[in-house]
């Protein structure tokens, strides 16, 4: 694993990501809650175009349903995090394992609280091609994918994974995050702003998790170094 010192070099970029994604999430949430006209118009235009295509293309609709309900399902994503958590635990990275698991659980809690608080209706169609439960904002699929892929990329970076491995995972992660969002739009169960909100909130949560973990790990390392130094001084004084 990378040392806390090396990890701290990434904090400025994580800080910027957390700041911008958090600010954009707050603005989007305010627009959605206020039912801002231009946003509602854009959402309806995107939704109607996607739905028309889904109705005309049953084979493509079925492919999107399989991807959305199985490949990129939130529970499938959480299983990936669970595998990473077990691997970390078995390799002695207990704090990091608990941290990753906690971020995944927190992401699920945040999206459910926001869904209940905003209470946004999903798109309604006379000829639906799929259905979904709970309120619309934010998209749970999009947010869970962003949290999962962000966490896995961070954990791979900390574990010293090779550049090719990280590049492949980054590509797969981007395809998954973008793909699951588009699939929810294509199936007519979300507005475009729901998906965007899920992406922004998931990104913000991972960035904040990275920052807080690095600071916690750095304080722990500093405390251990201080104790080791004092112990060395005591031993040195005793021998003299």
């Amino acid at each position: 694993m990378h040392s806390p010192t090396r990890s701290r070099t990434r904090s400025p970029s994580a800080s910027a990501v957390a700041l911008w994604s958090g600010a954009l999430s707050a603005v989007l949430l305010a627009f959605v809650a206020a039912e801002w006209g231009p946003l509602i118009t854009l959402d309806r235009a995107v939704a109607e175009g996607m739905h028309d295509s889904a109705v005309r293309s049953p084979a493509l609709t079925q492919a999107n349903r399989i991807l959305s309900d199985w490949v990129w399902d939130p529970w499938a994503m959480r299983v990936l995090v669970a595998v990473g958590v077990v691997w970390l635990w078995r390799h002695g990275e207990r704090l990091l394992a608990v941290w990753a698991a906690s971020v995944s659980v927190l992401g699920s809690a945040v999206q459910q609280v926001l869904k209940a608080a905003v209470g946004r209706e999903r798109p309604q169609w006379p000829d639906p091609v799929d259905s979904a439960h709970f309120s619309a904002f934010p998209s749970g699929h999009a947010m869970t994918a962003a949290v999962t892929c962000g966490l896995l990329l961070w954990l791979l970076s900390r574990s010293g994974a090779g550049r090719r491995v990280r590049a492949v995972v980054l590509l797969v992660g981007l395809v998954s995050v973008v793909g699951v969002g588009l699939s929810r739009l294509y199936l007519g169960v979300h507005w475009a702003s729901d998906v965007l909100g899920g992406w922004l909130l998931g990104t913000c949560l991972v960035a904040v998790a990275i920052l807080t973990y690095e600071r916690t790990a750095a304080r722990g390392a500093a405390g251990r170094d201080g104790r080791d130094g004092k112990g060395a001084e005591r031993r040195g004084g005793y021998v003299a």
Side-chain angles (χ1 to χ4, degrees):
M1 290 288 177
H2 288 297
S3 67
T5 301
R6 290 182 67 181
S7 295
R8 276 201 303 273
T9 61
R10 291 191 294 272
S11 291
S13 59
S15 298
V17 171
L19 176 63
W20 282 104
S21 59
L24 291 173
S25 297
V27 171
L28 182 60
L29 175 59
F31 284 163
V32 169
E35 298 184 351
W36 188 51
L39 179 65
I40 300 302
T41 300
L42 177 61
D43 275 342
R44 290 191 181 281
V46 172
E48 288 170 1
M50 287 282 196
H51 182 68
D52 288 344
S53 176
V55 170
R56 293 194 308 268
S57 308
L60 186 56
T61 299
Q62 181 62 21
N64 274 275
R65 188 179 292 117
I66 292 172
L67 289 171
S68 177
D69 294 346
W70 295 96
V71 180
W72 295 322
D73 179 76
W75 283 107
M77 292 289 169
R78 292 173 189 131
V79 168
L80 291 177
V81 174
V83 171
V85 167
V86 171
W87 187 90
L88 289 168
W89 191 273
R90 293 183 58 136
H91 285 77
E93 292 285 347
R94 303 294 173 84
L95 175 61
L96 192 56
V98 172
W99 206 274
S102 299
V103 173
S104 182
V105 171
L106 180 60
S108 299
V110 167
Q111 63 182 252
Q112 292 304 322
V113 168
L114 284 175
K115 282 177 179 292
V118 177
R120 191 183 202 189
E121 294 291 331
R122 292 179 184 269
Q124 301 293 323
W125 309 106
D127 51 352
V129 298
D130 202 357
S131 62
H133 305 290
F134 307 111
S135 299
F137 185 91
S139 166
H141 281 69
M143 185 172 176
T144 303
V147 169
T148 299
C149 295
L151 278 176
L152 293 179
L153 283 168
W154 174 51
L155 295 176
L156 280 174
S157 178
R158 287 191 59 87
S159 69
R163 183 175 299 177
R164 288 184 179 179
V165 173
R166 283 182 285 133
V168 170
V169 174
L170 175 60
L171 178 60
V172 173
L174 287 173
V175 170
S176 298
V177 172
V178 174
V180 73
L182 294 179
S183 74
R184 301 307 282 169
L185 293 178
Y186 196 83
L187 294 173
V189 294
H190 273 295
W191 306 106
S193 53
D194 300 335
V195 171
L196 179 59
W199 287 338
L200 288 172
L201 287 164
T203 300
C204 182
L205 181 59
V206 172
V208 170
I210 292 172
L211 285 172
T212 52
Y213 178 83
E214 289 177 355
R215 291 172 183 173
T216 301
R219 285 196 298 269
R224 288 192 299 272
D225 291 344
R227 289 193 297 272
D228 292 344
K230 290 179 181 178
E233 289 177 5
R234 287 196 297 270
R235 288 193 297 273
Y238 177 77
V239 172

